[in-house]
Amino acid sequence: EAQVTQNPRYLITVTGKKLTVTCSQNMNHEYMSWYRQDPGLGLRQIYYSMNVEVTDKGDVPEGYKVSRKEKRNFPLILESPSPNQTSLYFCASSFLLSGSIGEQFFGPGTRLTVL
Amino acid sequence: QQQVKQSPQSLIVQKGGISIINCAYENTAFDYFPWYQQFPGKGPALLIAIRPDVSEKKEGRFTISFNKSAKQFSLHIMDSQPGDSATYFCAASIKAAGNKLTFGGGTRVLVKP
């Protein structure tokens, strides 16, 4: 089954404790992206990647890191989480069509609480 | 400042009624306007999309109306069903700039039986 998977689905942590949220897709998509969803603000892009070893900042990158060492995986790293990073996080992937992002397929989400 | 403003934030409609969600945008360069549907515990999924060369697009009970001069577009859900209860997001993008999506704030729709 074609899908985007995220782990963990739920995470409660404390301020300053490094964490990684994994994202994997099995559709051979070039493009991958991380979003955070907050009430009233919709989805805001954190980081994106156009291909292996190519990553770039989105609209709200502060406090986050990413890497793209393999095409299928795009982990989101919070080196020192803070309470304002409490949110619902989504990973998404798509093909690139002549350099443009195609239909994005989203993972099931990771609900993160930072105490 | 949100480039795509969505209203209302929440909506309750009776089964069989019409749900209407509105979005307004600022950037006239936007040329692709999708709507995403998100069920509880799931990620958003593309529902329907429109380009500004048409004023309306219909897929089943879902219709997008587009008003280029007013810089507004809306989603109409006809004959709303309890299974339509979800959060809906409008979005906009510029194809020439890579099609990166800018999302509205979302509307939670509850259809009462």
Side-chain angles (χ1 to χ4, degrees):
Chain A
E1 180 190 355
Q3 59 183 347
V4 179
T5 57
Q6 294 178 227
N7 283 292
R9 294 290 311 278
Y10 304 90
L11 180 58
I12 300 174
T13 189
V14 295
T15 299
K17 186 176 181 182
K18 181 179 178 180
L19 66 92
T20 299
V21 184
T22 65
C23 172
S24 183
Q25 51 94 5
N26 62 2
M27 295 170 279
N28 203 34
H29 286 165
E30 297 91 0
Y31 179 86
M32 297 186 75
S33 180
W34 276 102
Y35 297 88
R36 60 177 290 173
Q37 180 180 339
D38 301 289
L41 298 178
L43 289 96
R44 294 178 293 166
Q45 190 177 52
I46 302 170
Y47 268 94
Y48 65 95
S49 170
M50 302 291 270
N51 215 323
V52 176
E53 302 291 0
V54 181
T55 63
D56 210 345
K57 295 177 180 178
D59 299 315
V60 289
E62 294 79 18
Y64 305 95
K65 283 176 57 177
V66 292
S67 68
R68 187 92 182 272
K69 293 184 171 57
E70 304 166 281
K71 196 171 186 178
R72 62 184 294 128
N73 296 324
F74 191 46
L76 179 69
I77 304 156
L78 284 72
E79 295 267 2
S80 183
S82 62
N84 65 11
Q85 292 178 298
T86 292
S87 187
L88 180 57
Y89 291 86
F90 289 99
C91 180
S93 72
S94 79
F95 285 117
L96 288 176
L97 309 168
S98 301
S100 284
I101 304 162
E103 178 184 347
Q104 293 189 51
F105 294 86
F106 286 81
T110 295
R111 185 166 291 281
L112 172 66
T113 301
V114 183
L115 302 174
Chain B
Q1 181 185 1
Q2 273 193 310
Q3 290 197 54
V4 180
K5 294 185 178 179
Q6 185 171 345
S7 62
Q9 283 196 314
S10 63
L11 180 61
I12 299 174
V13 64
Q14 291 294 130
K15 179 182 175 181
I18 302 173
S19 304
I20 301 174
I21 306 169
N22 300 300
C23 284
Y25 61 96
E26 296 293 325
N27 190 344
T28 55
F30 285 140
D31 58 4
Y32 178 64
F33 301 91
W35 285 87
Y36 282 78
Q37 181 186 53
Q38 181 185 26
F39 293 109
K42 304 288 186 183
L46 180 64
L47 178 64
I48 186 173
I50 196 169
R51 295 204 179 272
D53 51 345
V54 297
S55 60
E56 186 174 282
K57 183 173 181 179
K58 184 176 180 179
E59 287 185 5
R61 296 183 293 107
F62 298 89
T63 299
I64 301 178
S65 297
F66 184 80
N67 186 330
K68 190 174 182 177
S69 60
K71 294 186 288 184
Q72 294 176 347
F73 58 110
S74 60
L75 177 70
H76 295 233
I77 307 174
M78 313 300 285
D79 186 27
S80 297
Q81 299 296 312
D84 297 330
S85 297
T87 299
Y88 293 83
F89 293 96
C90 64
S93 69
I94 304 169
K95 187 176 180 181
N99 231 15
K100 177 178 173 292
L101 292 172
T102 299
F103 286 89
T107 298
R108 182 174 290 186
V109 174
L110 176 63
V111 181
K112 289 195 166 183

